[in-house]
């Protein structure tokens, strides 16, 4: 396919109509309309205003077409393989617009679909069928990384290449951690946790147990007793806390009747944390200037849910937690923010209480007695839950 034909395929001929912001649902497209108004009547909803409120459809088409060709292409131009016909089933322009979630006035939708010269589409990236979008490349690289640290090799930070896989990847496995590091910096996921923030920690406590409810019992275990957890490798003690008492209880209790010791900690300094509990809102898919941001957020959504996903306690968890342990050790030991500050910990969503937030703190000093002087123990108490009503209320 020559350049001229390829360019021709990218053509569109918008109808000579005007549209108002009320006729589209996407916030970015509404803004495009409001920034280009030069008529008082909308040809789609027929509303008429005293001041200019409608924009030529062609102003919208520039952005919609740009997005369409970022995600789709004509089968021939996109390099789709042929074997007595294209082996990838092409889709219509209407289906392309549905896939991009274009929501607008019905007649406008039809006009936009008809405006494209090209009528058959396949999914592509960078115009090509075989390419990946950045978030797909990052997600693939993360999956490869997770598989390699679980089943092949764990300690490869210094090695130039460890991947034996032959399929194409955007990043080598040892590159994915710095890539995530840059991304969390760029998308402002590094937050400050104020001094005097309340945090909670719970421990199962059977009725016949009578250990003291003190800092030693309620703090992080000593390294020799630190078994592998979601974030910490075996033998390296981290301090697991929750922002809410309900989350702390939900993390350790499974069913009534049961008892728990609940400790209250307070931050005694401002903490630097990686906050995976509140990712930025996705920008519009039609806003090409924020495309890199959108790609990064989509990947981090996958990454954050992988890190906090529910893992069955069937002894396989020692394997399943390894990727998040390697990530934690990277953020604890190697990572620095733009001001060269080290991180105190990672906040992540609870897998057992979806609205709950957990915070894992890295030790300030790694020795026989790990130090977590980021927080101070305030008090602890015991609570018993004899039936489902009391239990459900406690973890609601
Ligand atoms: Zn309108």
């Amino acid at each position: 396919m020559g350049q001229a034909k390829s360019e021709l395929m990218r053509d569109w001929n918008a109808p000579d109509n005007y549209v108002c912001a009320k006729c589209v649902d996407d916030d970015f497209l509404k803004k495009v309309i409001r920034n280009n108004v030069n008529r008082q009547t909308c040809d789609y909803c027929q509303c008429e205003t005293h001041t200019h409120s409608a924009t030529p459809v062609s102003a919208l088409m520039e952005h919609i077409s740009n997005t369409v060709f970022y995600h789709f292409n004509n089968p021939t131009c996109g390099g789709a393989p042929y074997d007595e016909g294209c082996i990838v089933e092409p889709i219509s322009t209407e289906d392309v617009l549905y896939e991009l979630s274009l929501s607008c006035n019905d007649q406008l939708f039809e006009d936009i679909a008809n405006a494209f010269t090209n009528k058959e589409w396949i999914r592509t990236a960078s115009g090509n069928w075989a390419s990946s979008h950045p978030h797909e490349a990052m997600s693939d690289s993360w999956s490869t990384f997770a598989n390699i640290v679980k089943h092949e090799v764990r300690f490869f930070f210094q090695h130039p290449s460890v991947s034996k896989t032959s399929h194409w990847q955007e990043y080598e496995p040892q590159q994915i951690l710095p890539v995530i590091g840059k991304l969390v910096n760029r998308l402002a996921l590094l937050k400050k946790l104020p001094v005097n923030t309340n945090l909670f920690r719970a421990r199962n406590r059977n009725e016949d147990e009578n250990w003291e409810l003190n800092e030693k019992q309620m703090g992080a275990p000593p390294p020799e007793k630190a078994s592998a957890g979601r974030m910490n490798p075996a033998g390296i003690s981290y301090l697991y806390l929750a922002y809410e008492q309900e989350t702390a209880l939900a993390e350790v209790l499974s069913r009534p009747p049961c008892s728990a010791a609940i400790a209250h900690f307070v931050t005694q300094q401002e903490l630097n944390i990686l906050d995976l509990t509140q990712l930025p809102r996705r920008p519009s898919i039609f806003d090409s200037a924020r495309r890199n941001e959108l790609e990064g957020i989509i990947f981090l959504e996958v990454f954050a849910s992988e890190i906090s996903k529910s893992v069955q306690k069937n002894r396989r968890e020692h394997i399943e937690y390894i990727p998040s342990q390697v990530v934690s050790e990277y953020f604890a030991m190697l990572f620095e923010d733009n001001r060269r500050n080290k991180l105190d910990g990672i906040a992540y969503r609870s897998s057992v209480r979806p609205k709950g937030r957990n915070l894992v703190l890295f030790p300030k000093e790694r020795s026989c007695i790990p130090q977590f002087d980021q927080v101070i123990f305030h008090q602890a108490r015991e609570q018993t839950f004899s039936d489902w009503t009391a239990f459900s209320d406690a973890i609601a």
Side-chain angles (χ1 to χ4, degrees):
M1 173 84 42
Q3 182 71 19
K5 180 74 183 294
S6 173
E7 288 300 316
L8 194 64
M9 288 293 188
R10 282 180 166 263
D11 270 357
W12 45 265
N13 297 300
D16 198 15
N17 284 348
Y18 284 71
V19 59
C20 78
K22 284 191 284 185
C23 284
V24 296
D25 289 339
D26 182 271
D27 285 342
F28 172 75
L29 295 179
K30 280 182 188 289
K31 202 165 92 183
V32 169
I33 292 174
R34 291 192 183 110
N35 288 344
N36 292 279
V37 290
N38 57 3
R39 221 180 73 163
Q40 290 164 259
T41 313
C42 171
D43 291 313
Y44 293 95
C45 67
Q46 313 303 330
C47 82
E48 200 170 339
T49 50
H50 291 301
T51 54
H52 287 164
S53 59
T55 294
V57 172
S58 57
L60 283 189
M61 277 304 296
E62 279 180 33
H63 296 279
I64 294 170
S65 167
N66 189 315
T67 300
V68 165
F69 279 98
Y70 182 73
H71 293 277
F72 299 88
N73 204 347
N74 169 271
T76 311
C77 299
Y82 276 77
D83 183 14
E84 297 178 357
C86 183
I87 66 164
V88 186
E89 186 72 34
I91 61 172
S92 68
T93 311
E94 283 82 358
D95 284 341
V96 163
L97 299 178
Y98 284 130
E99 285 205 16
L100 296 175
S101 301
L102 177 68
S103 173
C104 62
N105 172 285
D106 290 348
Q107 184 59 50
L108 175 64
F109 187 94
E110 204 175 303
D111 285 354
I112 290 170
N114 290 334
F116 285 92
T117 308
N118 184 45
K119 301 297 177 197
E120 290 197 322
W121 304 87
I122 56 167
R123 284 172 204 87
T124 57
S126 308
N128 197 286
W129 172 78
S131 298
S132 305
H133 289 296
H135 76 269
E136 293 166 333
M138 285 189 279
S139 294
D140 287 350
S141 302
W142 164 255
S143 298
T144 304
F145 168 86
N147 255 325
I148 286 177
V149 294
K150 280 196 279 187
H151 303 297
E152 291 182 34
V153 56
R154 214 144 290 160
F155 310 104
F156 55 72
F157 292 110
Q158 304 302 323
H159 294 272
S161 177
V162 293
S163 176
K164 286 183 262 176
T165 51
S166 56
H167 58 275
W168 180 87
Q169 294 286 340
E170 181 82 15
Y171 304 102
E172 290 282 337
Q174 69 273 32
Q175 289 177 310
I176 192 67
L177 294 177
V179 165
I180 295 170
K182 280 186 190 155
L183 204 53
V184 300
N185 248 323
R186 185 155 58 82
L187 293 175
L189 297 190
L190 304 174
K191 307 262 176 70
K192 302 283 186 193
L193 192 65
V195 65
N196 289 330
T197 300
N198 295 320
L199 296 164
F200 302 90
R201 178 169 165 80
R203 267 186 76 184
N204 256 310
R205 183 175 163 94
N206 295 329
E207 275 180 24
D208 55 348
E209 294 181 47
N210 57 1
W211 37 268
E212 281 190 58
L213 296 173
N214 59 16
E215 180 174 11
K216 190 177 173 202
Q217 291 292 347
M218 294 307 295
E224 68 273 14
K225 288 192 178 171
S227 54
R230 178 180 294 279
M231 298 301 202
N232 71 296
I236 298 178
S237 194
Y238 285 8
L239 180 58
Y240 289 86
L241 299 160
Y243 285 74
E244 308 87 17
Q245 181 175 295
E246 294 84 351
T247 307
L249 288 169
E251 289 287 345
V252 299
L253 300 178
S254 53
R255 54 181 302 126
C258 55
S259 296
I262 309 153
H264 176 194
F265 289 81
V266 179
T267 54
Q268 56 173 351
Q269 56 193 248
E270 188 179 65
L271 305 187
N272 293 314
I273 60 161
L274 165 60
D275 188 353
L276 295 175
T277 66
Q278 264 189 314
L279 298 183
R281 212 174 135 214
R282 288 187 188 191
S284 163
I285 198 169
F286 300 105
D287 188 351
S288 56
R290 296 179 68 189
R291 198 167 276 157
N292 284 343
E293 189 184 335
L294 176 61
E295 294 278 3
I297 292 171
I298 294 174
F299 166 68
L300 283 178
E301 287 170 354
V302 174
F303 173 72
S305 97
E306 282 284 309
I307 288 281
S308 53
K309 74 180 174 189
S310 168
V311 171
Q312 279 199 332
K313 305 274 185 191
N314 56 3
R315 295 194 167 187
R316 284 276 307 160
E317 72 265 25
H318 299 298
I319 304 290
E320 295 303 317
Y321 283 150
I322 286 168
S324 51
Q325 291 167 2
V326 178
V327 167
S328 297
E329 283 289 274
Y330 166 76
F331 279 108
M333 302 295 288
L334 297 176
F335 180 80
E336 288 177 340
D337 68 12
N338 286 338
R339 295 183 175 173
R340 311 214 69 179
N341 291 318
K342 287 283 197 185
L343 282 188
D344 290 298
I346 299 177
Y348 58 99
R349 286 265 164 219
S350 166
S351 64
V352 289
R353 185 172 180 265
K355 63 183 173 185
R357 298 167 301 158
N358 287 313
L359 175 68
V360 64
L361 292 182
F362 308 137
K364 280 281 190 189
E365 294 290 334
R366 296 190 176 214
S367 58
C368 305
I369 307 168
Q371 289 182 10
F372 297 94
D373 55 8
Q374 305 99 322
V375 289
I376 191 160
F377 173 77
H378 187 58
Q379 60 171 16
R381 63 191 169 82
E382 187 180 4
Q383 204 169 346
T384 299
F385 309 99
S386 50
D387 56 40
W388 277 106
T389 307
F391 182 78
S392 305
D393 287 349
I395 63 168

